[in-house]
Amino acid sequence: MKRCHLYAVAVCVALLTSAGLIVYAGAANKTSPEFREQFIRDFERTWLNTAPGDAMMLRILVESAGAKRGVEVGSASGYGAINMGIAFERTGGHLYTLEIDPRMVKQCRDNIAAMGLEDIVTCIEGDALKTLPTIEGPIDFVFIDAVKRDYFKYFKLLEPKLKPGAVVVADNVIRSERAMKDFLDYIQTSPDYDTVIIRASMEKNDGMSVSYKIR
C-alpha cells in the first residue's frame, strides 16, 4: 500500500513538472525571435494597419534613438505596436498605444499578449483627445496615425511633454496633406524641430513625416 502511495505521488510530481515545462516552453516561445518573426509575417493586416516597411522603420527609429517612453495615437489591431514593442523591449522602455474602437482594442491587446509584450506595451481605450492628457511625460517617441484632421490637436497635447531629442513620426502625410495642413505647417517651420518627409515602403503611395525635437 505504501509503495502504491509513493508511486502515485511520483506520477503526480512528474505530471506537474511536465505541465510546468509546457507552460514555460509556451511562455519562452512568445519571446523567441523565430516565433515573433513568424507571428508578424502571418499577421492579418487591414488597411488600418501600418505597412511592414513602415513598421520596421518605426522599430529601427525607436531602437536607434534609445527611446524609453513612447506614445502611439491609433493602434488599430496592433501591428505597429508589436513592432515598436520589440524595440522598446530592447531599450528597456514602454509604449502606450491609444485606440478608440473597443473591438480594435481587444484585438490589439490579444496580439500584444500573443507576443509576450504585456509588460512593454499598454493599449489604452478611448478618444485620444481625452486619454492623451492622462499620459505623463517626459516622452521621447511619438507615432501619430489616427484621425488626420486632428493631428495638430494630438501633437499640441503631447508637445509640452516631449523631451529634447524626441522623435515624432506622423503617417499619411502625402495623401492626407490637406487634412493635416496645420500640423505640417507647424512641424516643418518651427525652429524647434528638424523635419523630413519620407517613404519607408512601396506598399502604399504615401509617406511619413519624421521630426527631431532640437530644444
Side-chain angles (χ1 to χ4, degrees), residues 190-206:
S190 171
D192 294 335
Y193 301 91
D194 282 337
T195 298
V196 65
I197 305 297
I198 67 167
R199 295 179 188 270
S201 69
M202 298 305 294
E203 181 176 307
K204 56 186 182 182
N205 186 29
D206 210 337

Side-chain angles (χ1 to χ4, degrees), residues 94-113:
H94 198 94
L95 174 68
Y96 296 90
T97 181
L98 283 53
E99 175 57 47
I100 194 170
D101 186 338
R103 293 170 299 174
M104 290 287 102
V105 170
K106 183 181 185 309
Q107 289 183 38
C108 182
R109 288 173 178 168
D110 287 346
N111 288 322
I112 289 167

Side-chain angles (χ1 to χ4, degrees), residues 73-157:
V73 184
S75 314
S77 56
Y79 185 76
I82 60 175
N83 274 277
M84 287 184 282
I86 291 172
F88 277 104
E89 184 178 60
R90 292 170 181 167
T91 66
H94 198 94
L95 174 68
Y96 296 90
T97 181
L98 283 53
E99 175 57 47
I100 194 170
D101 186 338
R103 293 170 299 174
M104 290 287 102
V105 170
K106 183 181 185 309
Q107 289 183 38
C108 182
R109 288 173 178 168
D110 287 346
N111 288 322
I112 289 167
M115 290 276 284
L117 292 168
E118 305 98 315
D119 294 335
I120 307 299
V121 183
T122 300
C123 184
I124 299 173
E125 182 177 348
D127 183 343
L129 295 176
K130 297 178 180 178
T131 57
L132 279 173
T134 69
I135 298 176
E136 297 180 359
I139 294 166
D140 54 9
F141 191 87
V142 173
F143 177 48
I144 304 175
D145 186 17
V147 180
K148 309 312 169 188
R149 66 178 180 272
D150 288 339
Y151 271 33
F152 195 47
K153 294 177 184 177
Y154 302 139
F155 180 74
K156 293 307 287 183
L157 289 171

Side-chain angles (χ1 to χ4, degrees), residues 38-45 49 77-79 82 111:
Q38 189 64 49
F39 187 89
I40 289 171
R41 279 196 297 269
D42 294 340
F43 197 101
E44 294 186 9
R45 292 184 300 114
N49 292 122
S77 56
Y79 185 76
I82 60 175
N111 288 322

Side-chain angles (χ1 to χ4, degrees), residues 69 71 137-142 155-168 187 193 211-213 215:
R69 194 170 181 84
V71 175
I139 294 166
D140 54 9
F141 191 87
V142 173
F155 180 74
K156 293 307 287 183
L157 289 171
L158 287 164
E159 189 174 28
K161 305 173 186 179
L162 296 178
K163 62 188 297 186
V167 175
V168 179
I187 203 75
Y193 301 91
S211 303
Y212 175 84
K213 184 173 175 61
R215 55 180 181 268

